[in-house]
């Protein structure tokens, strides 16, 4: 939401990213709207999909942890290979892994905001870069 509010309500004409275009060293420009779409809108849609189907999603994670199913993509790996590298359900910290994945996913979704901060503002200059 922050990225969308910035793109909609902030006038970029006085910044280094006029028209919300980030220019590479070779002069090629890329719109920040594309970055927001790829790194924020699509992951948000995936998260909303999981939230709406939370019961099935959590059951799938539980079954995988309990060893009741044959992985997320049963046809992608042979069963022997999957069973050989499967984490031990008694020692593998599924809750901790779930937290790490969600925090990482949230940081991944902030890439457009960091791009706005570093490319369109004078913050790097103030920090000595």
């Amino acid at each position: 939401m922050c990225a969308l509010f910035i793109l909609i309500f902030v006038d970029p004409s006085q910044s280094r990213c006029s028209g919300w275009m980030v220019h590479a060293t070779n002069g090629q420009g890329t719109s920040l709207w594309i970055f927001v779409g790829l790194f924020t809108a699509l992951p948000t849609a995936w998260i909303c999909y999981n939230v709406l189907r939370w019961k099935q999603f959590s059951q799938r994670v539980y079954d995988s942890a309990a060893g009741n199913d044959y992985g997320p993509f049963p046809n992608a790996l042979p069963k022997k290979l999957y069973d050989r590298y499967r984490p031990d359900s008694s020692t593998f910290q599924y809750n901790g892994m779930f937290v790490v994945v969600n925090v990482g996913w949230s940081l991944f979704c902030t890439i457009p905001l960091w791009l706005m901060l570093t490319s369109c503002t004078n913050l790097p200059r103030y920090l000595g870069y």
Side-chain angles (χ1 to χ4, degrees):
M1 295 297 291
C2 290
L4 287 177
F5 283 138
I6 290 171
L7 288 175
I8 292 171
F9 295 117
V10 174
D11 181 25
S13 61
Q14 301 299 324
S15 72
R16 294 189 301 176
C17 298
S18 61
W20 293 122
M21 295 292 286
V22 177
H23 296 281
T25 55
N26 64 359
Q28 182 77 13
T30 305
S31 174
L32 278 171
W33 284 98
I34 293 173
F35 285 109
V36 169
L38 290 175
F39 293 105
T40 304
L42 291 176
T44 300
W46 175 251
I47 290 169
C48 290
Y49 173 77
N50 282 335
V51 166
L52 292 174
R53 297 182 42 138
W54 183 251
K55 213 170 205 181
Q56 292 88 355
F57 177 75
S58 60
Q59 185 65 43
R60 193 174 205 175
V61 170
Y62 175 78
D63 287 343
S64 179
N68 297 336
D69 72 344
Y70 171 46
F73 304 106
N75 298 328
L77 292 173
K79 183 163 176 37
K80 286 183 181 181
L81 184 65
Y82 180 78
D83 288 340
R84 179 175 179 172
Y85 294 106
R86 180 187 188 99
D88 183 20
S89 61
S90 62
T91 59
F92 189 74
Q93 299 293 324
Y94 282 92
N95 289 336
M97 177 62 80
F98 189 71
V99 169
V100 167
V101 166
N102 282 318
V103 167
W105 195 253
S106 298
L107 290 174
F108 175 79
C109 291
T110 63
I111 288 174
L113 288 173
W114 290 107
L115 192 60
M116 285 181 207
L117 189 65
T118 58
S119 298
C120 299
T121 65
N122 292 327
L123 182 67
R125 188 179 67 179
Y126 292 130
L127 296 175
Y129 293 105

